[in-house]
Amino acid sequence: MDLNLDDRDPDRRTFITLSATGGLTALAGCLSGTTWPDGDDSSTDTDSPSDSQTAGDLDSISDDSDVIDRFERRSSEDDWTVADDAYGIRIENTTDEELTIALRLDHDGDSILDRDVTIPAASELVIELSSGGTYDMAIEADGLESETSTTWSPNDCEEGMTELTIGDSGIETDSSVSC
């Protein structure tokens, strides 16, 4: 294949070849996912998180924040208890379809998470946070919006949790703190 970079108008064959190569590369990236929620082939993102995550990418990911201890997607049938001296956030999709949410989480005014996340049907996203302070969270899902703000301190309270349940009738929010 001859591609002359000085020639700004590539011929039709070059254009088709480059387009097909780009399309196959993008498709190969999409096909390298996993079989979640069985967990047989889960992958882990060890680099900084991207703006949008899918099931295999989010089973358990690392991030640049020293505030987030755990960030994973799980089956709603699995039991989850917030770790001692941690604040937990649980976002559950109770619908029978996969749901993409826009999630923003701030800690003491600094953004620690801002991305779109896809949660499969009958699944949940759990986040555990280790630092005390004020957590402001906003989610938008299928035209529905919810915002919460919680101040929590591991020195004063053993654990705390905000649970958001997204269903066909809307978003329900419940917060609790054990001191």
Side-chain angles (χ1 to χ4, degrees), residues 14 42 73 75 93 101 103 108 110 118 123 132 145 150 155 175:
T14 303
S42 66
R73 184 179 359 237
S75 170
N93 174 10
I101 65 168
L103 171 63
D108 290 335
D110 295 325
T118 301
S123 298
E145 296 180 4
T150 304
N155 298 328
S175 293

Side-chain angles (χ1 to χ4, degrees), residues 143-155:
L144 304 169
E145 296 180 4
S146 177
E147 293 185 16
T148 61
S149 182
T150 304
T151 300
W152 175 80
S153 171
N155 298 328

Side-chain angles (χ1 to χ4, degrees), residues 49-159:
S50 64
D51 291 335
S52 180
Q53 301 290 322
T54 59
D57 297 329
L58 204 66
D59 290 335
S60 180
I61 65 168
S62 62
D63 58 74
D64 295 330
S65 174
D66 57 351
V67 176
I68 299 175
D69 286 344
R70 182 180 200 175
F71 184 22
E72 67 183 23
R73 184 179 359 237
R74 319 161 27 89
S75 170
S76 294
E77 297 173 6
D78 295 340
D79 289 333
W80 174 59
T81 303
V82 179
D84 289 342
D85 297 327
Y87 187 79
I89 297 172
R90 178 178 170 252
I91 304 170
E92 182 178 16
N93 174 10
T94 62
T95 69
D96 57 357
E97 295 181 10
E98 121 177 332
L99 183 65
T100 300
I101 65 168
L103 171 63
R104 189 185 77 239
L105 180 62
D106 297 341
H107 175 250
D108 290 335
D110 295 325
S111 178
I112 58 172
L113 195 57
D114 191 1
R115 69 178 65 173
D116 290 342
V117 180
T118 301
I119 305 174
S123 298
E124 63 190 20
L125 176 70
V126 295
I127 305 167
E128 287 185 3
L129 308 154
S130 59
S131 295
T134 300
Y135 292 99
D136 297 308
M137 182 177 59
I139 66 167
E140 190 275 324
D142 204 22
L144 304 169
E145 296 180 4
S146 177
E147 293 185 16
T148 61
S149 182
T150 304
T151 300
W152 175 80
S153 171
N155 298 328
D156 298 333
C157 300
E158 185 175 306
E159 66 182 44

